[in-house]
Amino acid sequence: PSLLSGGTITAPYMAVTGDWHNTFNMTGGTIKLEQESEDTLYGYYANTDCYVNLSGDSKIIIKNTSSNGGAQGIGGYPEITMSDNASISIQSNNSGSGIGGARTTTLNGNASVLVNNINGATGVYTRTLYIPTDSNATITAISSNSSATGFYSEYEADSSPATSIGSGTITVESNGSGDAVGIGNERGHIYMSGGTVSVTSKGSGTAFGTYAVRSYYKGWGSFNISDGSIAATSNTGNSFGIYVANTGYNNSSSVNVSGGSVISTSTNGGTSYGAYTPVATATVTGGLVSGGTYGVYAEGRNVTIGEDDGTQPSITSPEIIGGDYGIYSGNYYFYDGIIKASIET
């Protein structure tokens, strides 16, 4: 294994590389690349499966002032663990990410990933993300001119461990013409039992939405929310608390909410959905799902509210709120809770 415990490493475009199951431990010090480059600047890059452990007050700082180059804190496909006050900070006049393409990423303690770019910004791009319940970790992605994503999972449900988010904060802000995405899920399983996801779109366009949770492509994974909060706000277009895409594939995605809150608002005339699941089965047994227009939109699919368990029905939980429509679906089964809307369900 390699060890960096202090000092500063700089390089023209790639500071540290790992090859063939190398382990890189960084317990202090700084990796710092600040320059104008047509290439992507990397703090650490793994050519094959490697292991990266950042702890103490270790820092990776990347700044690329070129409008054509990029910036990435850690690239390749390593297994990454960040602990204590370890931090990754990315600033690019083009696009880039804090962590890109990792196999697994674990964020402990006060670990932080900050990406603030002019064009596309991604905080953590990894197959699987772990944020334990006692973590104060933060992921922040800000784009001043394009799309921004906090966390993106790009692997299939049957081939990769499930993502587990037990605490921490994911903050996303898009000020351009692209999407703002808190959690992007390609085909995996996402379990959220705590923490906060806050997504805001402030761009000038109107054709894009704000997606707090989005399922891409074949979308046969699942979203499972038992606690924590998801809030999506769009100042210009549509807004989605939970979004499962209609991709044309045989979709077997599922959305399960048993606690916490999912709230979606659009402040400038757009349509907002608490949960948008026309190609997924939605089950809400606890918590709050709220949208400025629709609470749950699942045209042609089944929606189950509460549990048919033979006990006295609850009239307070779960809670579905739609500014116009509480539930818009093919069939819905209402066992517990309360549905509020100004027009109809």
Side-chain angles (χ1 to χ4, degrees), residues 5 34 61 64 79 116 136 138 155 297 308 316 320 330:
S5 58
E34 292 185 331
I61 301 170
N64 193 342
E79 291 189 10
N116 189 347
N136 294 312
T138 60
Y155 221 57
Y297 184 98
D308 184 16
T316 59
I320 310 295

Side-chain angles (χ1 to χ4, degrees), residues 4 7-17 24 26 29-45 59-66 69-75 87-93 95 97 114 117:
L4 176 66
T8 300
I9 295 178
T10 62
Y13 76 98
M14 188 179 297
V16 181
T17 62
F24 177 62
M26 187 174 177
T30 302
I31 294 174
K32 189 173 185 179
L33 283 74
E34 292 185 331
Q35 59 201 41
E36 182 177 0
S37 174
E38 298 285 308
D39 298 315
T40 296
L41 302 180
Y42 292 94
Y44 176 94
Y45 188 86
K59 298 178 177 64
I60 297 178
I61 301 170
I62 312 294
K63 182 178 181 180
N64 193 342
T65 57
S66 169
Q72 195 167 115
I74 300 176
S87 64
I88 297 174
S89 178
I90 306 298
Q91 187 175 350
S92 171
N93 283 4
S95 60
S97 61
L114 169 63
N117 296 338

Side-chain angles (χ1 to χ4, degrees), residues 67-85:
S67 59
N68 296 316
Q72 195 167 115
I74 300 176
Y77 282 90
E79 291 189 10
I80 300 169
T81 300
M82 296 179 63
S83 305
D84 303 325
N85 296 309

Side-chain angles (χ1 to χ4, degrees), residues 10-339:
T10 62
Y13 76 98
M14 188 179 297
V16 181
T17 62
D19 196 9
W20 197 247
H21 299 292
N22 173 261
T23 297
F24 177 62
N25 296 314
M26 187 174 177
T27 61
T30 302
I31 294 174
K32 189 173 185 179
L33 283 74
E34 292 185 331
Q35 59 201 41
E36 182 177 0
S37 174
E38 298 285 308
D39 298 315
T40 296
L41 302 180
Y42 292 94
Y44 176 94
Y45 188 86
N47 293 315
T48 56
D49 292 345
C50 294
Y51 305 87
V52 178
N53 303 304
L54 307 183
S55 61
D57 292 320
S58 57
K59 298 178 177 64
I60 297 178
I61 301 170
I62 312 294
K63 182 178 181 180
N64 193 342
T65 57
S66 169
S67 59
N68 296 316
Q72 195 167 115
I74 300 176
Y77 282 90
E79 291 189 10
I80 300 169
T81 300
M82 296 179 63
S83 305
D84 303 325
N85 296 309
S87 64
I88 297 174
S89 178
I90 306 298
Q91 187 175 350
S92 171
N93 283 4
N94 189 20
S95 60
S97 61
I99 294 173
R103 288 180 292 157
T104 63
T105 299
T106 302
L107 301 180
N108 299 311
N110 297 312
S112 65
V113 178
L114 169 63
V115 182
N116 189 347
N117 296 338
I118 289 181
N119 289 323
T122 300
V124 175
Y125 185 102
T126 184
R127 294 179 181 178
T128 303
L129 174 67
Y130 300 112
I131 304 179
T133 57
D134 60 350
S135 173
N136 294 312
T138 60
I139 300 172
T140 305
I142 301 170
S143 174
S144 60
N145 197 40
S146 187
S147 60
T149 299
F151 155 62
Y152 177 71
S153 172
E154 54 87 35
Y155 221 57
E156 298 182 10
D158 295 336
S159 303
S160 184
T163 281
S164 176
I165 300 173
S167 60
T169 302
I170 299 174
T171 304
V172 179
E173 182 179 306
S174 172
N175 295 280
S177 58
D179 294 342
V181 181
I183 298 174
N185 178 32
E186 187 164 315
R187 297 187 291 270
H189 295 302
I190 307 291
Y191 290 87
M192 182 175 178
S193 59
T196 300
V197 178
S198 177
V199 181
T200 305
S201 173
K202 298 180 179 180
S204 59
T206 57
F208 66 94
T210 300
Y211 307 92
V213 181
R214 181 176 182 178
S215 180
Y216 292 85
Y217 306 123
K218 296 181 181 179
W220 53 63
S222 65
F223 299 113
N224 307 276
I225 302 167
S226 58
D227 205 350
S229 65
I230 296 174
T233 301
S234 175
N235 294 346
T236 58
N238 299 334
S239 178
F240 302 85
I242 298 172
Y243 178 95
V244 181
N246 185 355
T247 61
Y249 290 91
N250 181 17
N251 197 295
S252 58
S253 297
S254 65
V255 172
N256 305 289
V257 179
S258 58
S261 63
V262 179
I263 300 173
S264 172
T265 57
S266 295
T267 61
N268 198 26
T271 302
S272 58
Y273 306 78
Y276 181 88
T277 62
V279 292
T281 299
T283 302
V284 183
T285 58
L288 166 67
V289 178
S290 175
T293 310
Y294 297 94
V296 177
Y297 184 98
E299 183 179 8
R301 297 301 290 256
N302 292 340
V303 175
T304 301
I305 308 298
E307 297 180 86
D308 184 16
D309 56 8
T311 62
Q312 180 72 24
S314 170
I315 60 172
T316 59
S317 178
E319 186 174 9
I320 310 295
I321 299 176
D324 294 333
Y325 302 92
I327 298 175
Y328 190 93
S329 69
N331 298 304
Y332 75 93
Y333 305 91
F334 186 19
Y335 301 112
D336 295 291
I338 182 169
I339 302 172

